[in-house]
Amino acid sequence: MPAPTCASCHTARANLRRPRSGQALCGACFCNAFEAEVLHTVLAGRLLPRGAVVAVGASGGKDSTVLAHVLRALAPQLDISLHLVAVDEGIGGYRDAALAAVRHQAARWELPLTVVAYEDLFGGWTMDAVARSTAGSGRSRSCCTFCGVLRRRALEEGARLVGATHIVTGHNADDMAETVLMNFLRGDAGRLARGGGLGSPGEGGALPRCRPLQLASQKEVVLYAHFRRLHYFSEECVYAPEAFRGHARDLLKRLEAARPSAVLDLVHSAERLALAPTARPPRPGACSRCGALASRALCQACALLDGLNRGLPRLAIGKGRRELELEEAPRRSVPAADALTAF
Ligand code: SF4
């Protein structure tokens, strides 16, 4: 059966059926619609004011590649300037190749690029060193816990270095839905309540962050990269197979097979959750070491590094971390389902 005609331009043959709407579109009309939707997300959410200097968290992967490409196309309309900021976590056999992809993109799109390294920022710690320290096997289940916290700090440092006023990351709807599931499964009520919305306004002196692709599905991000002929790095990090996120991803795939709207439903669910008044944590203050926002004496990054430097990495993660936190500032633990109110 011949492909139908594109439902938008009515002249070209359709190349795809949009996963979300089922609409048959040609590649060019799909890409235009995708860009228009990201523009709408940014404008409706007032994510990036005119004149913003935007640090784009660039990993070389599909999401940040698509994000940088779309924002570059929208930059004149939005009146923003872009600066790619890449983080070198120090993961042998993985990050070097990914950084090569970022350098290639920066040169091709004539965008400034700054690379910040864990090793320089965190007293010589690389992710490979953290992995050796946490498990001795070099492939610890805890790696992504450390890396997530350190990466957030590194991106903030890199963005400040280049004079950025805002940070954008390439998280798509699937990433966000996985995060919602993970927070539920861990009973992390605080993160669930904070996880809604399209970003954070920049509390405690942190730069405002947003996720312009948060309402775009992973499938559509891949389709956009395909039709715009974007080259990206697609190998998986060596530590990813051990990450808890993989379980959430598998669960989400099964949920999506039964209910195609499950991804966006989860993302929107997070926007409608709030902590019950009795479960609200104390107002965050400043980390006693670095001054970043912290709900305890030390912020997460300083607590993790402190545990590593003391040769007690287990104190900074999982059960041991809770013990450390309790020592610093006793706080009631509230199961997620008890702590949340849906509007
Ligand atoms: Fe870091 Fe984990 Fe991502 Fe690897 S998979 S870059 S360790 S967060």
Side-chain angles (χ1 to χ4, degrees):
M1 198 170 72
T5 306
C6 171
S8 180
C9 67
H10 305 290
T11 50
R13 287 273 164 221
N15 300 116
L16 64 111
R17 205 167 272 288
R18 289 196 78 172
R20 187 189 300 179
S21 62
Q23 196 181 29
L25 293 177
C26 67
C29 287
F30 164 72
C31 290
N32 291 340
F34 186 95
E35 288 167 8
E37 285 163 10
V38 175
L39 178 64
H40 176 76
T41 302
V42 172
L43 292 177
R46 298 182 180 178
L47 302 182
L48 300 171
R50 299 188 86 77
V53 179
V54 181
V56 183
S59 69
K62 66 179 185 321
D63 298 308
S64 65
T65 299
V66 165
L67 177 64
H69 188 271
V70 171
L71 286 184
R72 181 173 171 269
L74 299 178
Q77 244 172 304
L78 290 169
D79 188 22
I80 56 173
S81 55
L82 304 177
H83 196 122
L84 302 183
V85 176
V87 176
D88 180 358
E89 300 93 343
I91 301 173
Y94 167 70
R95 189 45 84 197
D96 290 347
L99 286 174
V102 179
R103 288 194 179 94
H104 177 76
Q105 290 163 0
R108 185 176 166 203
W109 299 335
E110 297 180 330
L111 289 175
L113 166 67
T114 296
V115 181
V116 288
Y118 281 10
E119 191 169 15
D120 301 330
L121 294 173
F122 305 128
W125 286 102
T126 62
M127 267 318 295
D128 284 338
V130 170
R132 283 192 295 275
S133 172
T134 51
S137 67
R139 298 287 186 271
S140 166
R141 288 171 67 88
S142 310
C143 283
C144 294
T145 307
F146 280 92
C147 192
V149 173
L150 299 180
R151 164 182 274 282
R152 188 177 175 85
R153 169 62 61 84
L155 188 53
E156 178 86 20
E157 299 278 340
R160 287 186 186 283
L161 199 65
V162 303
T165 58
H166 290 70
I167 296 174
V168 295
T169 57
H171 297 92
N172 62 42
D174 294 59
D175 298 327
M176 299 313 298
E178 287 164 14
T179 301
V180 173
L181 272 179
M182 281 164 56
N183 289 336
F184 254 120
L185 295 171
R186 286 171 168 156
D188 194 333
R191 279 212 171 84
L192 265 174
R194 284 197 305 273
L198 293 160
S200 56
E203 284 177 292
L207 292 172
R209 286 181 181 237
C210 62
R211 304 176 285 262
L213 301 184
Q214 182 170 317
L215 301 179
S217 73
Q218 183 159 268
K219 284 178 193 149
E220 295 211 344
V221 169
V222 172
L223 284 168
Y224 181 89
H226 171 75
F227 286 110
R228 285 288 191 238
R229 299 179 194 279
L230 305 181
H231 298 287
Y232 56 85
F233 183 72
S234 54
E235 276 177 40
E236 191 176 58
C237 170
V238 291
Y239 300 116
E242 298 295 331
F244 183 54
R245 181 172 286 274
H247 298 290
R249 187 167 296 155
D250 292 344
L251 181 56
L252 188 62
K253 283 205 177 90
R254 277 183 278 150
L255 287 172
E256 206 183 3
R259 180 183 169 89
S261 65
V263 168
L264 277 180
D265 287 347
L266 271 164
V267 173
H268 292 313
S269 295
E271 291 164 8
R272 298 173 66 83
L273 292 170
L275 279 181
T278 51
R280 289 201 181 121
R283 279 179 70 81
C287 172
S288 60
R289 190 162 300 167
C290 72
L293 204 67
S295 50
R296 299 174 184 84
L298 293 181
C299 68
Q300 278 190 310
C302 287
L304 291 178
L305 290 166
D306 192 53
L308 289 167
N309 289 330
R310 289 160 64 191
L312 299 167
R314 288 283 161 201
L315 275 182
I317 53 171
K319 191 164 178 282
R321 178 173 164 220
R322 274 184 212 124
E323 284 158 9
L324 178 73
E325 290 168 351
L326 284 170
E327 269 174 38
E328 289 170 343
R331 181 179 154 191
R332 190 161 60 94
S333 162
V334 182
D338 294 347
L340 294 163
T341 308
F343 294 121

